[in-house]
Amino acid sequence: MQAGKGKRGAVRDQAAPDSRSADVAVHSGTPWEYAPAPESRDIATIRPEYGLFIGGEFGPAADGQLLETVNPATEETLSQVAAAGAADVDRAVAAARDAYERVWGPMPGAERAKYLYRIARILQERAREFAVLESLDNGKPIRESRDVDIPLAAAHFFYYAGWADKLEHAGFGRAPRPLGVAGQVIPWNFPLLMAAWKLAPALAAGNTCVLKPAETTPLTALLLAQVCQQADLPPGVVNVLTGAGETGAALVAHAGVNKVAFTGSTEVGKEIARAVAGTGKKLTLELGGKAANVVFDDAPIDQAVEGIVNGIFFNQGHVCCAGSRLLVQESVADAVIGRLKDRLGSLRLGDPLDKNTDIGAINSRQQLDKIRELSAAGEAEGAERWSPPCTLPAHGFWFAPTVFTGVSQSHRIATEEIFGPVLSVLTFRTPQEAVTKANNTPYGLSAGVWTDKGSRILWMAQHLRAGVVWANTYNKFDPASPFGGYGESGFGREGGRHGLAAYLDA
Ligand code: NDP
C-alpha cells in the first residue's frame, strides 16, 4: 500500500498494531512512485462562520449555538456553523409552508423545472469548488468527489427537472398533488449527493423543503443554499438547518411537516419511524446494509477483484450499499483472495485532495472508533485479519484497508454494518448456499453477482432479498434508477420515476 504524498518517512506506521499483518506483503512488481498531485483548495472559500438558511437568507440560530466542523484528514477546524434549535425549526418550517402555499405549490411544473435546471447548471459550473469543499469536509478522495458525488448530484437535478412538467404522465393518476413541506435528514457519507437525492424529486413534485445535513459535513449543503440564492429560487422553497441529532429529531417531529425523508443508521431510522407513526406524515427510510458481493467460479477474476475493491473500499466503505460481505465460491477462493491482496497493495491512502489518492480519511473520530471496535471483535471471535503494509498519516482519522478471512456467519463482522474499509470474506459451494448466506441478514439493500452465465445472474437476482442487485459490476448509480431496501434497510425508493411517488399525494 502506498502512502499518500510519497512522504513515507514522515508518517508513523499505525497499520501494524491495527492489522497484525504487515508481514503479508504481496506486490506484483515494483510499485510506481507517483508525484504528488494535490488539487488547490483556494477555489473553495470557507467562511469562518455560517448561519442557518431560512427564507432565502443566512442568519444565526435563535440561541446563538455553534458547532465546529473539522477536516477529518488533518483535524483542522474548517468553520463553525449554527446549531438550529426548536425555535429555528419552527421558523424554517413556517418559511417552507409560506413558500409552498404562495409560490411553489401553485407554480406550473414547467416553471419549477427551470429553477431545477438552473441549479443543475450552476452545480456543473461550480463543480470543482464543490468537489474540493466536499473532500475537505468529508475526507473522501477528490477523485471520487470530482467524478462521482458532484456530477451525480447535478444529474439528479437535471433528471428531476425533466419530470416537473410531466407529473400527470408519471403513472400516479391524472392530477397528482405535492404533499406540502418535506423534512429531510441526511448523513455524512455523500453530503451533497444525498442533499440532491432528497431535494430534486421533492422540488420537482412541488413540495418545499427543510434539509438537515449531518453534523460533521454541513459545508456543501450550505454552498448549495448559496446556489439556491444564485438561481433566484424563491425564498423559503429550500431551507437548510445545520445542527446535531436533536435538530433532526425536532424537524421530523414538527407538526408542520407533511413528509419525512431520512437516510442514515437503522437505529435512528427506527426512532424516526416511532416519532412519525400515527401522525399521517408520509415517510421514507433509507437505512443501513450488509450487502453480499457473490463471486462464482466462472467469474472473470480480475474484473471481480476490481468490483470487490470498488464495492468495499470506495468512499472508505462509508456506503450503505457497500459490498461488505464477500461470498466467494470455494474452488476459486484462494485465487480471488490472493489477487485481492495483491491489488490492495497498490492502493494509495492519504491526502484526500491528492488526485492519486484511492483511500481517504474516515469521516470522524467516532466512526473510526466504531470501525476499530468491530475489527477488534472480528479478531477476538477468531477471524483472520489482514491489511497491506501501510503507513497512516500522523494526524486525522485513518484506517488501513482490512480483509477478514475465516469469517463465520455468526461473527459480528458478518452481521453488523461496519461502515468502514473492512471486508469480511465467507465461502460457499453451491448457488443455493450462496443465496442462503447472502440473505442471512436483517438488511436487504443491495447485492452483487459475478458470473459468466446470464441465466445464473437472473436466478440470483430473483432469489436475493435486496433492493438493488448489480451483475458483474458494483456501486453503479444513475438518477433514473430507483434505489432502496427491504427489512432493516428501510422502505421507499429514491431515484427514477419511483422516487417521485414519495413526494406525491397519489
Ligand atoms: P445517524 O443515523 O445518527 O445520522 C444520520 C442523520 O440523522 C444525521 O444528520 C444525524 O445528525 C441525524 N440524526 C441523529 N439522530 C437523530 C434523531 N434522533 N432524529 C432525527 N435525526 C437524527 O448516523 P451516524 O452519523 O451517527 O452514524 C452511525 C452509524 O450509522 C454509522 O456507523 C453507520 O453504521 C450508520 N450510517 C449509515 C448510513 C447509511 O446510509 N446507511 C449513513 C450514515 C451512518 P448528526 O449528524 O448531527 O448526528
Side-chain angles (χ1 to χ4, degrees):
M1 172 134 224
Q2 308 300 295
K5 286 185 165 179
K7 281 204 246 165
R8 305 192 101 197
V11 293
R12 84 188 132 95
D13 188 338
Q14 287 183 332
D18 256 337
S19 65
R20 289 198 193 163
S21 54
D23 52 329
V24 200
V26 194
H27 284 297
S28 54
T30 312
W32 288 14
E33 283 303 332
Y34 282 54
E39 178 71 66
S40 165
R41 61 181 280 177
D42 296 346
I43 193 166
T45 307
I46 303 179
R47 301 177 188 167
E49 201 176 302
Y50 289 87
L52 307 168
F53 185 66
I54 299 177
E57 286 176 3
F58 286 92
D63 61 7
Q65 290 291 313
L66 291 169
L67 289 171
E68 261 188 9
T69 184
V70 303
N71 177 346
T74 59
E75 298 175 59
E76 153 211 10
T77 298
L78 292 171
S79 183
Q80 292 196 307
V81 302
D88 305 304
V89 173
D90 271 346
R91 227 158 39 86
V93 173
R97 172 68 52 198
D98 185 53
Y100 172 70
E101 283 172 2
R102 288 194 309 108
V103 189
W104 199 249
M107 188 184 283
E111 293 302 311
R112 289 200 304 271
K114 290 179 189 168
Y115 288 100
L116 294 185
Y117 278 125
R118 210 179 283 171
I119 291 170
R121 281 201 304 269
I122 297 172
L123 283 176
Q124 287 184 323
E125 283 162 17
R126 300 178 69 173
R128 184 179 282 214
E129 183 183 353
F130 269 100
V132 168
L133 193 60
E134 197 75 301
S135 285
L136 284 170
D137 204 19
N138 170 280
K140 65 175 69 201
I142 186 80
R143 216 161 43 84
E144 293 179 3
S145 48
R146 182 195 62 194
D147 298 347
V148 182
D149 296 58
I150 313 307
L152 261 180
H156 268 81
F157 280 100
F158 275 120
Y159 175 80
Y160 280 107
W163 272 119
D165 62 347
K166 303 175 192 68
L167 297 175
E168 63 273 31
H169 310 297
F172 302 115
R174 281 167 55 101
R177 299 273 315 137
L179 297 167
V181 175
Q184 305 175 313
V185 179
I186 55 170
W188 42 263
N189 52 344
F190 294 93
L192 181 73
L193 184 57
M194 288 300 106
W197 277 32
K198 297 279 180 280
L199 296 175
L203 298 179
N207 304 276
T208 55
C209 302
V210 182
L211 178 80
K212 207 298 270 179
E215 186 180 341
T216 57
T217 53
L219 296 185
T220 47
L222 292 164
L223 187 56
L224 183 60
Q226 292 172 40
V227 167
C228 291
Q229 289 179 320
Q230 189 183 342
D232 281 331
L233 191 72
V237 172
V238 169
N239 304 273
V240 178
L241 292 183
T242 46
E246 303 84 68
T247 308
L251 175 60
V252 302
H254 197 284
V257 165
N258 305 101
K259 150 81 191 172
V260 171
F262 172 76
T263 299
S265 62
T266 297
E267 192 188 347
V268 172
K270 286 179 181 174
E271 273 180 47
I272 291 176
R274 280 192 288 271
V276 164
T279 62
K281 292 174 192 170
K282 202 161 175 174
L283 175 66
T284 40
L285 296 174
E286 202 265 274
L287 310 176
K290 192 73 193 175
N293 202 359
V294 185
V295 178
F296 285 95
D297 59 3
D298 61 344
I301 290 190
D302 286 334
Q303 278 104 314
V305 165
E306 288 308 307
I308 295 164
V309 170
N310 179 34
I312 184 64
F313 300 114
F314 168 64
N315 203 31
Q316 294 72 247
H318 301 328
V319 185
C320 47
C321 51
S324 53
R325 284 184 300 151
L326 172 64
L327 295 184
V328 57
Q329 197 152 15
E330 207 173 86
S331 50
V332 291
D334 288 347
V336 170
I337 293 163
R339 286 201 219 175
L340 175 65
K341 288 180 173 177
D342 196 9
R343 179 70 178 92
L344 293 184
S346 71
L347 294 182
R348 298 178 131 74
L349 175 147
D351 180 6
L353 285 189
D354 192 313
K355 291 167 212 155
N356 296 323
T357 293
D358 299 301
I359 307 228
I362 301 301
N363 180 249
S364 64
R365 180 170 298 286
Q366 189 190 11
Q367 187 59 25
L368 179 60
D369 289 344
K370 179 178 170 188
I371 299 168
R372 284 181 171 156
E373 195 250 315
L374 275 163
S375 299
E379 276 184 286
E381 289 182 318
E384 195 177 315
R385 179 174 180 165
W386 181 92
S387 292
C390 181
T391 46
L392 302 181
H395 300 289
F397 315 129
W398 302 92
F399 197 85
T402 298
V403 176
F404 278 99
T405 48
V407 178
S408 92
Q409 291 190 77
S410 60
H411 287 164
R412 286 182 66 197
I413 52 169
T415 57
E416 294 181 31
E417 185 178 49
I418 301 173
F419 224 61
V422 181
L423 179 68
S424 301
V425 184
L426 298 99
T427 58
F428 66 91
R429 289 184 180 166
T430 64
Q432 185 56 56
E433 188 187 350
V435 165
T436 306
K437 284 185 168 167
N439 288 343
N440 184 16
T441 169
Y443 295 111
L445 192 55
S446 58
V449 180
W450 296 84
T451 174
D452 200 30
K453 293 188 184 61
S455 56
R456 184 177 279 165
I457 290 171
L458 294 174
W459 185 86
M460 289 292 289
Q462 276 172 347
H463 290 86
L464 289 168
R465 209 172 128 274
V468 179
V469 179
W470 284 291
N472 292 327
T473 186
Y474 207 93
N475 272 341
K476 283 271 180 286
F477 303 99
D478 190 280
S481 173
F483 184 87
Y486 295 102
E488 300 225 336
S489 293
F491 49 79
R493 294 291 177 267
E494 293 183 295
R497 189 187 67 84
H498 300 67
L500 289 168
Y503 290 99
L504 288 171
D505 184 7

